[in-house]
Amino acid sequence: MIVKKAVDINGNEITSQSLFMNRRSFVRSAVLAASTAATALVYRRFTASSGKGRAGEKLDLAAPADSATAKPGETGTPGARTVEPQTPYDDITHYNNYYEFSTDKRAVAEKAKDFITRPWTVSVEGLVNNPKTFDLDDFAKLSPLEERVYRHRCVEGWSMVIPWAGFPLSRLLDAVQPNSQAKYVQFETIFDPKQLPNERNKNILDWPYVEGLRLDEALHPLTILATGLYGETLPPQNGAPLRLVVPWKYGFKGIKSIVKIRLVAEQPPTTWNIANAHEYGFYSNVNPHVDHPRWSQAREQRIGESSKRDTLIFNGYAEQVAGLYNGMDLKVYF
Ligand SMILES: Nc1nc2c(c(=O)[nH]1)N[C@H]1C(S)=C(S)[C@@H](COP(=O)(O)O)O[C@H]1N2
Ligand SMILES: [Mo]
């Protein structure tokens, strides 16, 4: 098993805004050197921001199973609630990757604010015994919602701790009963260029945004569909009304505003892999030993903290998920 040694690049693994825009390309240029000052400014702003200031509907958050007996940070699902300090609401909702609205993280919230998420349906189809189109009320029946406090590690080198509300994807899949040919799950974001303006521009990414998981990854108890954040309805910029969260994988696997879920036999195409297969793999499990071709993945900037920390294999969820990858080469985790 060959594990590539991580190499630090100038102590600046956080990619600048201009590099984010080039994330889909191989363009190297001088942006890395130029980004240090901008990055420092960004993190001063994060540290300064505080106060939740959130508006929105309160969610009916049922206590997670076993919470009566669990100590804080423990639920019926091991690893489901880290006790690490949670990233402030303002940062989670104003530092977003949602390229359909903007490639500028700080512009997404404003551009997404009028996004219409009701009514909303999600078609669950393909290799299943009971295909069904779910509306938001149907999802409510798949509740109770659980609070899941997960580490979120973006492939760009920053991370957060996010208190989601959601339910295990397995509960939805159980309802449609995948048949014996189903091996993968494919997800699709809404395609509606009137509302998501960058979907008019195929030079940004190949729309609609699509993602995928192997069926056993999709059924893992840590894999959730999130409908809320900080105990309130999910804001548009975070993927309302329903987005995927897979905490041991890089953030781009967490596809937003899902309208279609399809059970399939073959590994499905995924948006960032289509954009650049050399840089973004299907598995994309968080792995500090496998660098991105243009930056190290050994460390990460936790938003709001003053210095970087080590990135953990499987984003700290190895105990729960490493068994899914027995016999696979570490390199394939990418
Ligand atoms: N449809 C869609 N889903 C998406 C993205 C996107 O651009 N479009 N960005 C991904 C990336 S790179 C990350 S890091 C997370 C960011 O989620 P957040 O803004 O809620 O933190 O969403 C992921 N899901
Ligand atoms: Mo990301």
Side-chain angles (χ1 to χ4, degrees):
M1 185 161 69
I2 299 162
V3 179
K4 200 176 157 207
K5 189 90 182 90
V7 180
D8 232 24
I9 42 163
N10 302 327
N12 180 36
E13 292 115 1
I14 306 282
T15 46
S16 71
Q17 185 180 311
S18 43
L19 188 53
F20 293 145
M21 292 182 183
N22 286 328
R23 189 166 130 193
R24 60 179 302 287
S25 75
F26 292 93
V27 177
R28 209 172 247 285
S29 80
V31 287
L32 268 178
S35 67
T36 310
T39 303
L41 181 68
V42 165
Y43 290 110
R44 245 175 284 126
R45 282 186 46 180
F46 277 126
T47 315
S49 87
S50 62
K52 305 216 156 69
R54 56 189 192 266
E57 198 181 311
K58 268 261 173 266
L59 287 174
D60 187 10
L61 253 192
D66 295 359
S67 69
T69 53
K71 295 185 203 108
E74 294 175 351
T75 73
T77 304
R81 290 168 83 179
T82 178
V83 294
E84 291 162 88
Q86 296 171 14
T87 302
Y89 184 86
D90 282 351
D91 293 337
I92 296 173
T93 57
H94 290 86
Y95 191 73
N96 300 103
N97 274 330
Y98 200 161
Y99 277 25
E100 287 88 333
F101 289 104
S102 176
T103 52
D104 173 355
K105 288 177 179 45
R106 253 159 266 96
V108 172
E110 172 64 22
K111 291 204 169 148
K113 73 177 191 315
D114 296 325
F115 182 52
I116 297 163
T117 56
R118 273 156 217 263
W120 191 273
T121 58
V122 182
S123 165
V124 188
E125 55 187 56
L127 302 173
V128 298
N129 294 329
N130 295 325
K132 180 176 157 82
T133 297
F134 292 79
D135 62 24
L136 292 181
D137 291 338
D138 296 322
F139 286 118
K141 287 176 205 143
L142 291 170
S143 298
L145 294 177
E146 293 180 31
E147 185 182 58
R148 298 291 181 100
V149 186
Y150 285 160
R151 290 176 289 279
H152 172 94
R153 171 59 157 84
C154 177
V155 74
E156 294 158 350
W158 53 269
S159 65
M160 298 185 181
V161 175
I162 306 182
W164 302 105
F167 57 89
L169 174 61
S170 66
R171 221 180 281 160
L172 176 67
L173 296 177
D174 287 348
V176 298
Q177 292 178 28
N179 70 30
S180 60
Q181 287 146 44
K183 298 284 182 284
Y184 293 88
V185 188
Q186 181 169 25
F187 305 85
E188 205 173 292
T189 292
I190 188 172
F191 184 76
D192 182 1
K194 285 202 183 98
Q195 289 210 78
L196 300 93
N198 280 350
E199 287 184 334
R200 288 182 210 284
N201 186 353
K202 289 257 181 199
N203 294 322
I204 297 174
L205 284 171
D206 192 36
W207 312 114
Y209 197 102
V210 288
E211 257 303 337
L213 295 172
R214 221 169 53 192
L215 184 56
D216 58 345
E217 298 176 320
L219 292 172
H220 191 281
L222 289 177
T223 301
I224 61 164
L225 289 171
T227 58
L229 192 62
Y230 266 107
E232 294 177 356
T233 304
L234 202 61
Q237 62 268 35
N238 294 96
L242 188 84
R243 61 90 59 85
L244 182 69
V245 181
V246 193
W248 69 93
K249 293 179 179 283
Y250 289 117
F252 67 83
K253 298 293 292 182
I255 181 172
K256 296 177 167 180
S257 307
I258 297 166
V259 291
K260 196 181 285 186
I261 298 177
R262 193 175 179 80
L263 281 287
V264 295
E266 310 289 338
Q267 183 178 301
T270 55
T271 290
W272 279 100
N273 185 254
I274 295 167
N276 192 336
H278 178 61
E279 300 194 354
Y280 308 100
F282 175 80
Y283 283 94
S284 289
N285 294 317
V286 174
N287 188 341
H289 307 296
V290 178
D291 289 340
H292 186 280
R294 288 181 285 136
W295 56 86
S296 168
Q297 294 292 22
R299 290 169 68 72
E300 68 197 50
Q301 179 64 56
R302 179 70 53 85
I303 300 303
E305 291 185 352
S306 54
S307 54
K308 285 181 190 159
R309 54 168 66 216
D310 289 343
T311 286
L312 304 174
I313 185 89
F314 293 112
N315 203 22
Y317 299 98
E319 204 181 312
Q320 289 81 31
V321 304
L324 293 170
Y325 308 102
N326 282 339
M328 283 174 72
D329 192 297
L330 254 189
K331 200 59 184 153
V332 182
Y333 292 171
F334 169 72

